[in-house]
Structures are given as C-alpha cells and as structure tokens.
Amino acid sequence: MLNAWHLPVAPFVKQNNDKLVITLWLTGEQLPERVTLRAEFDNEETSLPMHKVRSQPQPGVTAWRATIDAAKGQPRHRYSFKMLWHNRQLWFTPQGFSRFPPARLEQFAVDYPDAGPEWVVEQVFYQIFPDRFARSQQRNPERDKTYYHHAAGHETIFHEWDEPVTAQAGGSTFYGGDLDGISEKLPYLKKLGVTALYLNPVFVAPSVHKYDTEDYRHVDAQFGGDEALLRLRENTHREGMRLILDGVFNHSGDSHAWFDRHNRGTGGACHNPDSPQRAWYSFDEEGRALDWLGYASLPKLDYQSPTLVEEIYGGEDSIVRHWLKAPWNMDGWRLDVVHMLGEAGGARNNLQHVAGITRSAKQARPDAFVFGEHFGDARQWLQNDAEDSAMNYRGFTFPLWGFLANTDISYDPQLIDAETCMKWMDNYRASLSHQQQLRMFNQLDSHDTARFKSLLGKDVARLPLAVTWLFTWPGVPCIYYGDEVGLDGNNDPFCRKTFPWEAEKQDPALFTLYQRLIKLRKQSQALRYGGCQVVYAHDNVVVFMRLYNQQRVLVAINRGDACEVVIDDSPLLNVKQWQLKEGKGVAQEGVLSLPAISASVWFGH
C-alpha cells in the first residue's frame, strides 16, 4: 500500500534564500518510478522533476525533493505531486490521493513572501460586546438617560447589571458597560492570557449593538466617548495588547446625518433628492431607500458613488484610515457582513470594494489586520486576497457544532461522525494557503449565535473538548466574553448577557482550563505555526497532530465512551516519547487509551 506525507511547513518546506525546497515522503511496496512537482509561474502550470534523496529521513521512508524559485511569479505558490509508473499516474494533494489532476484551488499553497500581518498568529483574541462586559467604577449616572429609539418605536431601557436579559426590546436595553470598564478589567484579561481585543461597534448609534451607525467618526457617549477609547488604546498599548474595531460599512443607520430619516435638520438623503449624500444610498422608483435584509433602519450604502468610496475607504482621511492613524492607532478592522457590501443596493463589484478597504487600511498601517464576517464560504475573498482572514464559521465553528452539539447554524439537527467532521474541516482549509489557515479567526460562538454551552444542552460535559479544539486547531483562537467562566445563553439577545463578575457565578475549573490551554499554545510553535494532519477519525473519536520542524503535538477528542484507538504507523508520529500536557489520555506504542468524553494533548519528544 502506498502512503504519502507532506505538510506545507518545515521539514517538508524549507526556505533557502529565494528558493523553496519541497519534500515528499513515501512508503510502500510499489513506489513510483518518477515524481514531478506540479507548480505554477504567474498562473501557468509547470512541471518540475523531483529527485530521490539518497539518505532516508526515517527508516523505510523514501524522500523526493524539488526546488521552486520563490523570487519568480506570485507570492502564493500552489503545488501538488504527480507520481508516475510505466502505465499509470497518481496525484497527491492536501486531501490525499487522486487519479486525475487536482483543481488549482485544491493544491498545497504557501505564501513566500507572506504579505499578511505576521503578528496575528501569536495572539489570543477576546471579543467584547461593550455594553455587557464591564461598567466602569467612575461611570456618571447622567450617561444612563433614556431617549426615544425610533427603530424600536419606544424609549430605551436601562437595567441594573444583575437584572436578567429578556426577549423584549433586545436592541434598546442598556446595562451601562463602557470602554473605561474594559480598561479596568485589563488585569483580568491579562491573567486569563488574552493578548488582543476585538470590540463590537463603538461608534455613535441609537441601539445597544451599534450596528446602526449614526456617526463613524466619534465614539458613542454611552461608552465614554472618544476620550474613553483613547484611554483604552493607551492602556492596551501599555499592556502589549492589540485592539481591533468593528467596521459596519455595508449600511449606515437611518439616523445618520447622511440619511436623516427623522428630520433632524441635516438635509440627509432620505427626504432630500438634492442632498450631497443622495447618491450614497439606493432608492427604488417610488423613492424608498433600499435597506439591508428588510431592516428599514439600516439603509444600504451604494458604492457606485465615488464620493462615498472616498469617505469610507478611498481618501487619505477616510473612515477606514482615520482610526488606524494617530492618535487612535488601532490594529485593524473586522468587517461586518462584508460579503454583501457593493453597488446599487446589492453586492455588485463586491470584491473590488472589499479589496479596496483592505488596501486602504494597509496604506495607513502596513501591518493592519483586516478580516471579514462570513457565515457562508469565505474562500473567494481569501483566495483573491481581498481580506487577511475571515471569521471561521464555515471551516471551524459549524463542524464542531455538528460533531459535539449535533446542530447547524439554523439550529436544525445535524448528527455527524468524526470522519465527516474531519473531511469537512480539511476540505475547507485545503484551498487556503498555510499562512491564511494560521490567521483564520476561530470561535466557538459569538454575539450572533447561541452560546456553545447552551447549544450542548444535556451534553455540556463536552464543553472542555471544544475549548481544547479551539486552542489546538490551525487558526487564531478568539474567546467570546464570558465563555471562559461558563456564561450561557441562547440566540440574540440571550447570548449577550452581562458578564458575571461575582465569583460565585463563575466556573473556576473552566477558567483554569482556558488558562492552561492558552499557556500551552504560547509554549508551542507547532500549535501556532504548525501544519495539521488528521491521523484518526472514526465514530466518536478525532485525533490530529500539529507539526513544525521537530515539534509534534498530538490531540485526541473523544465525545463518546472510554475506548482504545490504534493509530496507523506514520513517520510523522515517530517520537521517542509522548508527554501528556492536558487531559487524562494515555499514549503508548501506537495505542491511545481515551477516557469517556475527554480531550487529551501530548507533546512529542
């Protein structure tokens, strides 16, 4: 039986000046007579002969090697392996063997040079919904004044911190969390191990969620205004923490001066055909503004307008650039529903504008991190380098939901086994470059979904399995505030409960699990930079490994009863000893003994 091994990291890919040395490992009885490397130069397929390496990297392993000139062509180098016998051929790609040539986007890919922000891979992110995380000690009660919320049709409501969230007035109910409250809790976040913050929108807007922007150039007074964001930026800089803002550029709020539905005297586009901003929105034949998904309070921005492009991202002091420059110096943007942004009330020329936003951000700050919100397939934006990364719902969150919580994003039943889960995850990441995989934004849940703990229901014992997965799978882990202390909650607004700061309301064992896994990730280059190989996937058990140079990390997830798993012999697993770092599994002579409902992590030595 023929077996092949290759991951797009050392020792299989090594950079030697402007050359990429590519190595394939083979074992088996009927080895190929020749092997060629299918590479490309400026999108043109080219075949490079591989030569057999004289010395064996490990006993029984035959290595084939070829060199790609990384100085020529595009920075993204895609390649696969063509194995030849006298009367047949076989191809090898990230998804295994194929009897016919793979599609271009189904091949291995590495970025040399890597134009993405390299700092991102080192981070542990923490997502904060500002109104619900922490209320500052010095908060002035005057800030809690009610006002009329036009979209909801009633006055806003203010609750005490420990009052329960209800289904009524979800977007109009405030608890008084603010940016100074986040500043005061930075020691807590440092203790947890967080190194980067992603904030839901902070700009002026009437709702609690702030996705109905009223002013893109100022911070909402409820959150402390511009001065509070400056203080938070200074405090995060002092702590060595990164800070990402939420950019809502698909639509504005209808109370924005550009639109002015409520006739505040700004002469906005809603009632004034002669408004300078009239072309910034789309209107039907009856003069009604086209909105986002039927929400009249969220009129769509129309990027047919050159002056809107200039204002949002094109100009030297555009909104995108403004917040990345001094004195704000933000580290990047998360782009809300960015796949829907475009022209004429829809998504026409979407890629052009998304790429323009990213390009503009890089001009203001070369190492800015720009990632999009995509509940669906984000790969076309990534493959076209329109974004650095994406919220990895499709490639991480939803497969885990199916395997551990037996549900999909529509909250319909979805019971999948380990093999299906791993094929799903491997298929999704196969067409992304290795560097892009490492920057994918992985979360168990968010402000737009039910909390993973609540999705688990009676299977809540599986929660540590998901947490372990979050910190060991390729990508950047992001914790949704409160997950680390066991906060629960069904879909919006219940997933947006206030943070339970009283110790008796927290799960200390879960918190320490997060701490341990964050420390493990920080200790291991393999967990941050390594390739990933699934070594076992059957029924209730997933086993995968991360590899980087000589480092090996083995991860076993068992959602079912206690069992023993026999791992196929692999040169990737040829280590002297497996040292257990997390969990209670036992690894001995190719057999894993796994407790029921468990996650185990070993480092190879």
Side-chain angles (χ1 to χ4, degrees):
M1 181 179 177
L2 182 67
N3 288 305
W5 292 274
H6 176 84
L7 293 172
V9 293
F12 296 99
V13 176
K14 291 187 176 181
Q15 188 173 10
N16 183 5
N17 296 321
D18 286 335
K19 309 294 183 184
L20 290 180
V21 182
I22 309 292
T23 303
L24 174 70
W25 288 0
L26 296 174
T27 65
E29 297 178 357
Q30 294 186 337
L31 295 176
E33 299 161 14
R34 289 186 294 130
V35 180
T36 61
L37 183 71
R38 182 276 185 205
E40 60 182 39
F41 173 71
D42 285 341
N43 302 327
E44 174 69 12
E45 292 190 18
T46 183
S47 183
L48 304 174
M50 303 190 76
H51 65 273
K52 192 183 297 186
V53 181
R54 290 182 180 178
S55 59
Q56 291 182 321
Q58 291 189 27
V61 175
T62 301
W64 292 78
R65 188 166 292 161
T67 301
I68 294 175
D69 189 345
K72 294 182 178 180
Q74 304 307 305
R76 180 153 303 140
H77 303 278
R78 299 187 185 277
Y79 60 92
S80 56
F81 303 95
K82 182 182 183 181
M83 287 158 280
L84 292 154
W85 292 261
H86 75 282
N87 62 351
R88 62 188 178 96
Q89 61 182 246
L90 199 61
W91 294 79
F92 185 66
T93 73
Q95 296 185 78
F97 291 114
S98 172
R99 295 193 178 276
F100 54 87
R104 181 170 180 265
L105 297 180
E106 292 178 353
Q107 305 187 63
F108 295 101
V110 291
D111 294 334
Y112 288 105
D114 178 17
E118 295 181 0
W119 60 267
V120 172
V121 177
E122 294 283 344
Q123 307 309 308
V124 172
F125 274 88
Y126 193 86
Q127 179 190 346
I128 294 177
F129 193 83
D131 183 68
R132 307 292 165 83
F133 180 62
R135 182 182 174 102
S136 60
Q137 295 177 2
Q138 306 302 320
R139 183 180 175 92
N140 185 342
E142 287 293 306
R143 259 201 251 154
D144 296 340
K145 288 182 177 178
T146 61
Y147 56 86
Y148 192 77
H149 187 192
H150 285 276
H154 54 69
E155 296 283 324
T156 55
I157 301 165
F158 278 86
H159 279 330
E160 295 298 321
W161 198 257
D162 57 356
E163 286 187 68
V165 171
T166 67
Q168 286 73 41
S172 309
T173 302
F174 291 80
Y175 284 80
D178 52 28
L179 300 185
D180 286 326
I182 299 172
S183 284
E184 291 169 8
K185 298 301 183 181
L186 291 183
Y188 164 82
L189 295 172
K190 292 281 285 188
K191 178 183 176 183
L192 176 59
V194 167
T195 61
L197 304 182
Y198 149 49
L199 307 183
N200 286 110
V202 299
F203 304 126
V204 178
S207 70
V208 70
H209 53 70
K210 308 297 177 195
Y211 283 99
D212 47 350
T213 315
E214 189 171 296
D215 185 344
Y216 287 97
R217 294 185 181 270
H218 291 287
V219 176
D220 199 288
Q222 287 292 332
F223 296 159
D226 295 353
E227 297 78 10
L229 184 60
L230 272 177
R231 288 191 291 270
L232 179 60
R233 176 72 285 195
E234 291 166 1
N235 292 331
T236 51
H237 267 149
R238 188 182 65 250
E239 298 291 352
M241 297 174 75
R242 302 281 184 162
L243 187 58
I244 300 289
L245 296 181
D246 205 330
V248 189
F249 304 133
N250 170 70
H251 52 266
S252 75
D254 65 356
S255 59
H256 200 296
W258 299 343
F259 195 77
D260 192 24
R261 182 188 298 279
H262 311 300
N263 289 310
R264 294 180 175 177
T266 64
C270 182
H271 306 294
N272 182 10
D274 297 323
S275 166
Q277 286 82 36
R278 182 75 173 188
W280 293 14
Y281 298 91
S282 298
F283 294 85
D284 64 19
E285 294 178 355
E286 297 178 3
R288 290 176 300 205
L290 303 184
D291 55 42
W292 179 69
L293 296 182
Y295 293 98
S297 62
L298 303 177
K300 279 270 291 185
L301 292 168
D302 187 346
Y303 285 84
Q304 284 186 112
S305 168
T307 53
L308 175 68
V309 169
E310 186 80 359
E311 173 69 15
I312 297 292
Y313 70 83
E316 181 61 34
D317 193 38
S318 62
I319 292 159
V320 165
R321 298 190 201 184
H322 173 79
W323 295 100
L324 300 180
K325 295 190 291 188
W328 312 101
N329 299 313
M330 298 299 161
D331 292 293
W333 289 100
R334 177 264 195 188
L335 303 177
D336 181 59
V337 293
V338 70
H339 51 283
M340 301 185 74
L341 177 152
E343 301 174 2
R348 194 174 76 192
N349 289 328
N350 173 270
L351 272 175
Q352 168 191 322
H353 295 294
V354 177
I357 290 171
T358 301
R359 194 162 50 245
S360 181
K362 306 288 185 183
Q363 288 168 349
R365 182 178 183 132
D367 70 343
F369 181 36
V370 182
F371 63 101
E373 178 202 24
H374 303 272
F375 271 84
D377 191 342
R379 287 175 292 186
Q380 66 167 310
W381 289 269
L382 298 168
Q383 289 156 357
N384 284 282
D385 292 309
E387 304 166 343
D388 292 318
S389 172
M391 298 182 79
N392 202 12
Y393 287 113
R394 184 63 67 93
F396 178 79
T397 310
F398 298 159
L400 258 68
W401 283 19
F403 183 67
L404 295 177
N406 308 139
T407 189
D408 69 4
I409 183 55
S410 301
Y411 307 104
D412 292 326
Q414 183 180 41
L415 177 60
I416 60 175
D417 61 12
E419 185 177 17
T420 303
C421 182
M422 288 295 88
K423 283 184 176 179
W424 182 350
M425 296 175 80
D426 275 352
N427 172 269
Y428 193 81
R429 67 188 181 92
S431 59
L432 303 177
S433 75
H434 175 66
Q435 287 79 4
Q436 287 178 315
Q437 292 180 38
L438 299 180
R439 283 191 289 267
M440 291 299 283
F441 203 78
N442 293 342
Q443 293 183 275
L444 298 179
D445 45 31
S446 75
H447 67 292
D448 283 325
T449 75
R451 297 264 181 178
F452 188 71
K453 180 179 180 180
S454 293
L455 290 177
L456 286 170
K458 61 181 177 58
D459 293 319
V460 71
R462 294 178 176 180
L463 184 56
L465 283 60
V467 177
T468 303
W469 215 328
L470 177 65
F471 289 98
T472 54
W473 191 254
V476 181
C478 179
I479 306 161
Y480 182 41
Y481 81 96
D483 277 359
E484 76 280 10
V485 294
L487 195 59
D488 61 4
N490 291 320
N491 209 0
D492 175 20
F494 302 102
C495 58
R496 303 174 182 182
K497 293 179 179 178
T498 54
F499 191 101
W501 289 109
E502 300 92 338
E504 62 271 15
K505 295 181 180 179
Q506 299 180 5
D507 182 341
L510 186 60
F511 181 85
T512 56
L513 174 64
Y514 272 89
Q515 282 184 311
R516 292 197 306 271
L517 288 166
I518 291 172
K519 287 179 181 177
L520 274 189
R521 177 180 163 83
K522 291 179 179 178
Q523 290 169 5
S524 171
Q525 283 187 307
L527 289 179
R528 301 193 309 277
Y529 293 96
C532 181
Q533 179 84 41
V534 176
V535 296
Y536 183 90
H538 181 69
D539 197 14
N540 294 317
V541 178
V542 166
V543 183
F544 60 90
M545 68 160 299
R546 302 292 303 278
L547 175 149
Y548 188 76
N549 285 317
Q550 301 306 310
Q551 294 185 24
R552 306 286 189 275
V553 178
L554 191 64
V555 182
I557 308 289
N558 176 23
R559 72 178 181 187
D561 296 332
C563 63
E564 287 192 346
V565 170
V566 178
I567 302 297
D568 290 339
D569 188 35
S570 166
L572 299 184
L573 299 173
N574 189 9
V575 300
K576 293 181 180 178
Q577 181 184 3
W578 291 106
Q579 182 180 1
L580 186 67
K581 290 289 188 175
E582 180 61 44
K584 297 181 179 180
V586 177
Q588 197 167 16
E589 297 180 352
V591 178
L592 304 182
S593 300
L594 306 177
I597 313 178
S598 67
S600 303
V601 181
W602 297 266
F603 283 9
H605 298 278

